[in-house]
């Protein structure tokens, strides 16, 4: 079992809940999809003490590695920001012809029988001459071309090319060289940097600070996530469960399956492939294990909320939702939440509230 998985599932469920997917709970013991009688899955209505005996949850002792900005990563980011912002008008080499070894920024369009073919067109593509990235003759055909010039390259795809409709076919690539990238030798121009349009960045020193601040913010977010996960692991290890409501497990399983399937589809794979790649198990196994863990976690968090008076009242919930709706540009709460129930939002906010409470009361040692 990978420690990050439960945190991942919590994120999956949160994203899914906010998107309005998964089973809806009516709060009256009725399944919203079928209308059949069923145990309510609203945590606030549950007698959670029937399922969990809480262990110690104040003063949890955890040890967490500090997270710092890596010097090499810092240098790499500065380098990337600089060269990715080079243009023909700002920093690009425009006064000489292309040579072997140059990285050139190009626009190109490939045609067969005067008809553009799929995958043969791009704008602003960075190509290193001599890399062998393109078919024979393409890169050599750009040697001697000056930025701003356009050339037609009469080429032939190799017989063993992966796309059968292009294998062995004669084509014409029309290529415009936009500019030549300056050598990535770590020499930066303050004048070029000042034209990037990055707020507060006008020279190399400020660019380096900009990159550091970005990495440091990410590092701190990672640290906070690691603290929350360590505290949650310690918290859950102290609790004893007698059982878990099947309706709640199913609710989380349905929500997770919907979200994972959607994410997998965005990557062009199925759910089994997605969970196998990330977690070494098929989708069904993943759902069976971690939906139950998520249900246990939320039951335990609700039990703490009950003991410590951390529950979110209707008035508090409405105020949070109103603030978020207003910030997002919605006129009403109803427009903001759409088909998602308020109870889903209440549980989402409660998760954060109780987790913050556990972290604030924990004894954290930094390694």
């Amino acid at each position: 079992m990978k420690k990050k998985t439960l945190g991942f599932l919590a994120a999956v469920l949160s994203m899914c809940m906010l998107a309005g997917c998964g089973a809806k709970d009516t709060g009256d013991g009725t399944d919203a999809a079928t209308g059949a009688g069923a145990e309510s899955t609203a945590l606030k209505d549950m007698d959670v003490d029937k399922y969990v005996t809480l262990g110690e949850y104040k003063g949890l002792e955890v040890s967490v590695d500090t997270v710092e900005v890596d010097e090499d990563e810092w240098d790499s980011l500065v380098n990337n920001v600089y060269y990715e912002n080079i243009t023909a008008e700002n920093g690009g080499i425009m006064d000489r012809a292309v040579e072997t070894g140059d990285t050139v920024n190009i626009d190109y369009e490939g045609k067969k029988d005067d008809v553009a073919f799929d995958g043969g067109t791009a704008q602003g593509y960075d190509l290193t001459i001599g890399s062998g990235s393109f078919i024979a003759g393409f890169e050599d055909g750009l040697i001697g071309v000056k930025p701003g010039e356009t050339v037609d390259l009469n080429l032939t795809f190799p017989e063993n090319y992966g796309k059968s409709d292009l294998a062995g076919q004669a084509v014409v690539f029309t290529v415009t060289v936009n500019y030549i990238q300056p050598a990535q030798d770590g020499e930066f121009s303050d004048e070029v940097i000042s034209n990037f349009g990055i707020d507060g960045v006008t020279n190399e020193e400020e660019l380096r600070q900009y990159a550091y601040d970005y990495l440091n913010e990410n590092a701190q977010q990672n640290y906070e996530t690691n603290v929350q996960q360590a505290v949650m692991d310690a918290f859950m290890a102290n609790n004893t469960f007698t059982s878990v409501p099947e309706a709640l497990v199913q609710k989380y399983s349905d929500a997770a399956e919907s979200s994972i399937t959607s994410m997998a589809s965005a990557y062009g794979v199925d759910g089994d492939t997605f969970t196998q790649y990330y977690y070494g198990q098929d989708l069904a196994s993943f759902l069976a294990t971690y939906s139950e863990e998520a249900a246990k976690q939320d039951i335990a968090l609700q039990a703490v909320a009950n003991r410590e008076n951390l529950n979110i009242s209707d008035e508090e919930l409405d105020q949070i939702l109103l603030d978020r709706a207003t910030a997002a540009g919605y006129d009403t709460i109803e427009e903001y939440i759409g088909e998602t129930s308020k109870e889903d939002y209440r549980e989402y906010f409660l998760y954060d509230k109780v987790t913050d409470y556990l972290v604030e009361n924990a004894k954290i040692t930094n390694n």
Side-chain angles (χ1 to χ4, degrees):
M1 180 186 304
K2 299 183 179 180
K3 289 179 64 177
K4 68 176 181 178
T5 306
L6 188 56
F8 167 81
L9 184 56
V12 167
L13 294 173
S14 295
M15 287 187 293
C16 189
M17 180 277 293
L18 292 178
C21 52
K24 293 292 187 296
D25 178 72
T26 63
D28 63 359
T30 301
D31 184 277
T34 66
E39 180 179 5
S40 172
T41 57
L43 289 170
K44 73 178 182 64
D45 298 329
M46 235 180 245
D47 180 10
V48 291
D49 290 335
K50 181 172 66 174
Y51 303 107
V52 62
T53 300
L54 290 176
E56 185 57 58
Y57 57 84
K58 291 182 182 179
L60 294 168
E61 297 184 2
V62 299
S63 181
V64 182
D65 290 337
T66 57
V67 181
E68 299 178 352
V69 174
D70 180 79
E71 290 282 345
D72 291 338
E73 187 178 4
W74 184 14
D75 289 338
S76 178
L77 180 58
V78 172
N79 195 72
N80 289 342
V81 171
Y82 183 87
Y83 290 104
E84 287 175 3
N85 279 279
I86 295 294
T87 65
E89 297 75 25
N90 187 43
I93 298 173
M94 305 293 293
D95 59 356
R96 67 168 177 81
V98 175
E99 301 172 357
T100 298
D102 284 337
T103 296
V104 293
N105 184 275
I106 60 174
D107 299 335
Y108 63 86
E109 181 180 43
K111 292 182 177 181
K112 185 183 77 169
D113 299 327
D114 293 326
V115 178
F117 52 83
D118 291 342
T121 301
Q123 288 78 43
Y125 186 90
D126 287 334
L127 172 65
T128 299
I129 304 302
S131 64
S133 302
F134 281 45
I135 63 173
F138 190 103
E139 295 168 30
D140 288 344
L142 299 182
I143 296 174
V145 178
K146 289 186 176 181
E149 294 181 346
T150 300
V151 294
D152 287 333
L153 305 177
N154 294 290
L155 306 174
T156 301
F157 276 96
E159 294 290 345
N160 61 350
Y161 189 68
K163 294 183 178 181
S164 59
D165 59 328
L166 292 175
Q169 299 297 303
V171 295
V172 178
F173 279 98
T174 300
V175 186
T176 299
V177 176
N178 298 319
Y179 59 89
I180 302 170
Q181 281 275 14
Q184 296 194 22
D185 54 11
E187 294 292 329
F188 303 135
S189 164
D190 287 349
E191 181 181 358
V192 170
I193 292 172
S194 67
N195 291 319
F196 284 167
I198 302 174
D199 288 343
V201 176
T202 61
N203 55 48
E204 181 178 351
E205 181 180 355
E206 292 171 348
L207 177 61
R208 290 192 62 81
Q209 186 63 49
Y210 169 82
Y212 178 87
D213 291 344
Y214 173 82
L215 292 174
N216 187 56
E217 181 179 355
N218 283 346
Q220 293 309 309
Q221 290 176 351
N222 288 337
Y223 172 76
E224 292 172 6
T225 298
N226 293 342
V227 167
Q228 291 176 352
Q229 187 63 63
V231 170
M232 188 62 69
D233 287 344
F235 167 62
M236 292 300 292
N238 287 346
N239 302 323
T240 303
F241 293 85
T242 57
S243 61
V244 186
E246 285 300 322
L248 186 62
V249 174
Q250 189 61 52
K251 175 184 176 181
Y252 288 175
S253 179
D254 291 344
E257 182 175 13
S258 177
S259 189
I260 289 171
T261 300
S262 177
M263 288 189 290
S265 178
Y267 285 102
V269 298
D270 59 21
D272 284 328
T273 302
F274 185 88
T275 53
Q276 190 70 47
Y277 178 80
Y278 282 104
Y279 300 102
Q281 52 189 309
D282 60 33
L283 179 59
S285 299
F286 178 89
L287 293 175
T289 302
Y290 297 108
S291 296
E292 181 171 344
E293 287 192 17
K296 286 181 177 180
Q297 176 180 273
D298 283 359
I299 286 171
L301 290 174
Q302 181 64 58
V304 173
N306 293 345
R307 282 197 188 182
E308 301 296 335
N309 195 29
L310 296 174
N311 282 300
I312 297 175
S313 67
D314 291 344
E315 294 77 15
E316 184 181 358
L317 176 61
D318 283 343
Q319 188 60 57
I320 296 172
L321 289 172
L322 180 60
D323 291 342
R324 293 198 172 206
T326 301
Y330 290 89
D331 294 329
T332 66
I333 291 175
E334 289 70 26
E335 290 178 0
Y336 174 67
I337 67 175
E339 296 182 1
T340 305
S341 73
K342 281 189 176 182
E343 289 312 309
D344 281 339
Y345 275 98
R346 191 196 305 271
E347 292 172 11
Y348 174 73
F349 299 141
L350 185 71
Y351 176 95
D352 284 345
K353 188 174 184 178
V354 180
T355 300
D356 288 345
Y357 176 85
L358 295 176
V359 170
E360 290 167 4
N361 286 277
K363 298 177 181 178
I364 302 167
T365 302
N366 293 324
N367 297 329

